[in-house]
Amino acid sequence: MDINKELDARGLTCPLPILKAKKALSDMHSGEVLKVWATDPGSVRDFQAFARQTGNDLVDQQTKRNGDQEEYTHFLRRR
Protein backbone atom coordinates (compact mmCIF):
# COMPACT_ATOMS: atom_id res chain seq x y z
CA MET A 1 0.00 0.00 0.00
CA ASP A 2 1.35 3.42 -0.93
CA ILE A 3 1.29 5.96 1.89
CA ASN A 4 0.86 9.55 0.71
CA LYS A 5 0.99 11.31 4.06
CA GLU A 6 1.90 10.41 7.64
CA LEU A 7 0.64 11.91 10.88
CA ASP A 8 2.17 11.38 14.31
CA ALA A 9 -0.59 11.74 16.92
CA ARG A 10 1.23 9.78 19.63
CA GLY A 11 0.71 11.26 23.09
CA LEU A 12 -2.50 13.03 22.04
CA THR A 13 -5.89 12.09 23.46
CA CYS A 14 -9.39 12.27 22.02
CA PRO A 15 -10.42 14.25 20.05
CA LEU A 16 -7.02 15.54 18.84
CA PRO A 17 -5.94 12.51 16.73
CA ILE A 18 -9.24 12.66 14.81
CA LEU A 19 -9.13 16.44 14.40
CA LYS A 20 -5.56 16.32 13.09
CA ALA A 21 -6.44 13.46 10.73
CA LYS A 22 -9.46 15.37 9.44
CA LYS A 23 -7.26 18.38 8.66
CA ALA A 24 -4.61 16.22 6.99
CA LEU A 25 -7.22 14.47 4.83
CA SER A 26 -8.67 17.80 3.71
CA ASP A 27 -5.31 18.61 2.07
CA MET A 28 -5.17 15.27 0.22
CA HIS A 29 -6.62 14.05 -3.08
CA SER A 30 -9.24 11.35 -3.48
CA GLY A 31 -7.72 7.87 -3.22
CA GLU A 32 -4.62 8.96 -1.30
CA VAL A 33 -3.75 7.17 1.94
CA LEU A 34 -3.04 8.76 5.32
CA LYS A 35 -1.11 6.80 7.96
CA VAL A 36 -1.77 7.89 11.55
CA TRP A 37 0.18 6.76 14.62
CA ALA A 38 -1.62 7.10 17.96
CA THR A 39 -1.20 5.95 21.56
CA ASP A 40 -4.76 6.63 22.72
CA PRO A 41 -6.57 3.25 23.03
CA GLY A 42 -9.84 5.00 22.20
CA SER A 43 -8.45 5.91 18.78
CA VAL A 44 -9.31 2.43 17.49
CA ARG A 45 -13.06 3.01 17.92
CA ASP A 46 -12.75 6.71 17.12
CA PHE A 47 -11.21 6.08 13.68
CA GLN A 48 -13.81 3.39 12.90
CA ALA A 49 -16.61 5.84 13.68
CA PHE A 50 -14.83 8.67 11.83
CA ALA A 51 -14.56 6.56 8.68
CA ARG A 52 -18.25 5.59 8.82
CA GLN A 53 -19.36 9.18 9.36
CA THR A 54 -17.15 10.79 6.71
CA GLY A 55 -17.16 8.15 3.98
CA ASN A 56 -13.39 7.77 4.07
CA ASP A 57 -12.16 4.18 3.88
CA LEU A 58 -10.46 2.76 6.96
CA VAL A 59 -8.11 0.45 5.07
CA ASP A 60 -6.37 -1.10 8.08
CA GLN A 61 -5.70 -0.76 11.80
CA GLN A 62 -2.72 -2.28 13.57
CA THR A 63 -1.76 -2.54 17.24
CA LYS A 64 1.74 -3.19 18.50
CA ARG A 65 3.44 -2.98 21.85
CA ASN A 66 6.21 -0.41 22.14
CA GLY A 67 7.82 -0.94 25.55
CA ASP A 68 5.16 -0.42 28.21
CA GLN A 69 2.74 1.22 25.82
CA GLU A 70 0.59 0.04 22.95
CA GLU A 71 0.79 1.94 19.69
CA TYR A 72 -2.05 2.07 17.19
CA THR A 73 -1.62 2.66 13.47
CA HIS A 74 -4.57 3.66 11.32
CA PHE A 75 -4.65 3.80 7.52
CA LEU A 76 -7.34 5.99 5.94
CA ARG A 77 -8.03 6.35 2.21
CA ARG A 78 -9.45 9.74 1.25
CA ARG A 79 -12.90 9.50 -0.33
Side-chain angles (χ1 to χ4, degrees):
M1 166 175 25
D2 291 333
I3 306 300
N4 302 97
K5 193 176 220 176
E6 297 181 0
L7 172 65
D8 187 351
R10 291 176 281 205
L12 302 177
T13 57
C14 183
L16 290 176
I18 292 293
L19 293 175
K20 289 186 175 283
K22 183 177 180 179
K23 180 174 179 357
L25 285 167
S26 72
D27 295 334
M28 297 172 67
H29 294 97
S30 181
E32 290 185 329
V33 175
L34 172 67
K35 178 180 182 178
V36 182
W37 290 288
T39 49
D40 181 4
S43 69
V44 174
R45 285 187 317 268
D46 292 344
F47 275 96
Q48 292 168 357
F50 175 75
R52 276 193 310 273
Q53 292 170 357
T54 62
N56 293 299
D57 185 21
L58 183 61
V59 179
D60 193 14
Q61 290 183 300
Q62 301 171 359
T63 302
K64 75 174 188 178
R65 182 157 289 289
N66 188 3
D68 292 347
Q69 192 168 17
E70 285 193 329
E71 202 169 275
Y72 309 94
T73 309
H74 312 280
F75 298 87
L76 290 157
R77 179 172 287 118
R78 173 83 158 91
R79 63 180 162 94

